[in-house]
Amino acid sequence: MASSRTRRARRARRRPARIRPALIAFAVVGATATGAVYWQGHARPGGGGAVSSSASAPSGGEESVETVEPAEPQVDGDARLAAAMASVTVADGAEVSVAVLDPDSGTSASYGTGAFDTASIVKVDILAALLLQAQDAGRSLSAAEKSYAAAMIENSDNDSASALWRAIGTAGGLDAANERFGLTGTEGGDGPLWGLTQTTAADQITLLRQVFVADGSALSEASRAYVRELMERIADGQRWGVSAAADRTGGTGGTGGSVWALKNGWLRRSTTGLWVVNSIGRVESGGHGYLVAVVSRGSGTQAEGIALTETAARAAVAVFTDDED
């Protein structure tokens, strides 16, 4: 089987560079963010704008003028998120990256760079790849596949994930689907190690768009609804993470009436004893939906990692909701 490095080299040769429309620039952890995402301001009438001539006035008549209102300052979403993250406690040696998208307006913000182990958040990607392959074959999922999918997403069952990982063709199948989904910074884990798939917060937002936004999705409405339904039925004890940024936590039912739909991932690395803790999903805050992805590593305990993902998710959504106050 080709190594991850060999697969990556092959993909780099065959795939032209692409720019994701939703997430364009990233802030560096601990550094000042550079802006590429903006909230566009519109001047209000009666604001005392500049006046310029638009036509010559006829003899003895009034001059025709055009009023040009001054534009309100543009706001850099990445810089605002970096400022919000400055108040988030990150333990020494730990790292976090977060991205958020308002799918209605297309505005977004991101913080942090680099690839992180997915742990169990890759299970959403595995299911999306399985559904895409089924669509291509013109078939529905089998009863066994549906049973695996429900256990994999709702209960984060690893044996079910391994079964579907093999069904999609392991990393090769995942990478092929992700190329069609528009993910450019995600690489499937070697052999059976789906949990060591590498990804970025930005790529996870791209994946969430495939599930929660019809426009541009490679998945059918039926496929997208199926993934959403499972992400809204996460088992008790696993409803932490991005759900902390929702209007209320613990509710069930994102797009179909719930205030969240999510998938979490957690993994204690045997080499360091430190924790990878991630959370992705859709949350509603102030009656509006947002897609949020938080990836982290280096926490001393799982509880510390969960607290970090929840605080980062709240900071990300606040970049949007603070404008609405």
Side-chain angles (χ1 to χ4, degrees):
M1 178 180 291
S3 68
S4 176
R5 182 175 299 174
T6 302
R7 290 200 312 275
R8 189 178 295 110
R10 287 203 301 265
R11 293 175 66 201
R13 287 196 298 272
R14 74 171 184 265
R15 185 172 64 201
R18 291 173 291 183
I19 300 176
R20 281 183 294 275
L23 296 170
I24 302 173
F26 306 96
V28 178
V29 176
T32 301
T34 57
V37 183
Y38 300 96
W39 277 256
Q40 296 294 339
H42 300 281
R44 292 182 295 272
V51 177
S52 62
S53 296
S54 60
S56 297
S59 178
E62 294 182 355
E63 186 179 40
S64 175
V65 297
E66 177 184 353
T67 301
V68 180
E69 299 288 348
E72 294 178 5
Q74 292 179 327
V75 180
D76 182 344
D78 289 357
R80 289 189 60 175
L81 180 52
M85 288 296 294
S87 63
V88 174
T89 300
V90 181
D92 290 342
E95 298 175 72
V96 63
S97 181
V98 57
V100 59
L101 170 70
D102 176 351
D104 291 337
S105 68
T107 53
S108 61
S110 60
Y111 174 88
T113 59
F116 291 69
D117 294 328
T118 57
S120 285
I121 61 170
V122 75
K123 292 169 181 176
V124 174
D125 204 0
I126 292 172
L127 179 54
L130 178 69
L131 289 164
L132 186 63
Q133 291 179 358
Q135 286 178 200
D136 290 344
R139 70 175 183 87
S140 300
L141 297 189
S142 67
E145 288 171 333
K146 288 182 178 180
S147 178
Y148 286 138
M152 175 177 73
I153 300 298
E154 295 178 21
N155 301 308
S156 204
D157 182 72
N158 290 337
D159 290 340
S160 295
S162 294
L164 294 184
W165 177 249
R166 293 189 295 269
I168 66 170
T170 64
L174 188 79
D175 292 347
N178 283 342
E179 185 167 1
R180 293 169 63 182
F181 291 150
L183 280 66
T184 59
T186 299
E187 189 79 18
D190 285 336
L193 303 178
W194 45 261
L196 296 187
T197 294
Q198 294 280 291
T199 195
T200 64
D203 260 14
Q204 290 303 300
I205 293 293
T206 300
L207 178 63
L208 290 171
R209 278 185 56 87
Q210 291 288 318
V211 174
F212 291 95
V213 181
D215 185 26
S217 180
L219 296 174
S220 68
E221 172 54 32
S223 293
R224 293 188 296 108
Y226 181 62
V227 182
R228 294 195 303 262
E229 179 184 4
L230 296 182
M231 292 177 71
E232 292 170 357
R233 297 204 310 239
I234 298 300
D236 291 341
Q238 297 182 22
R239 298 179 178 183
W240 45 266
V242 297
S243 58
D247 286 326
R248 63 185 185 279
T249 58
T252 57
T255 54
S258 82
V259 293
W260 56 257
L262 62 80
K263 183 70 191 81
N264 296 323
W266 57 99
L267 171 68
R268 185 176 183 270
R269 295 307 309 267
S270 59
T271 54
T272 64
L274 300 177
W275 285 83
V276 170
V277 181
N278 306 323
S279 184
I280 62 171
R282 179 189 183 276
V283 300
E284 285 190 11
S285 182
H288 196 82
Y290 302 97
L291 305 182
V292 188
V294 185
V295 289
S296 75
R297 59 179 166 233
S299 293
T301 66
Q302 183 183 9
E304 289 177 2
I306 290 173
L308 177 57
T309 62
E310 293 187 338
T311 307
R314 291 191 193 98
V317 172
V319 168
F320 293 88
T321 57
D322 282 356
D323 278 348
E324 300 169 357
D325 294 339

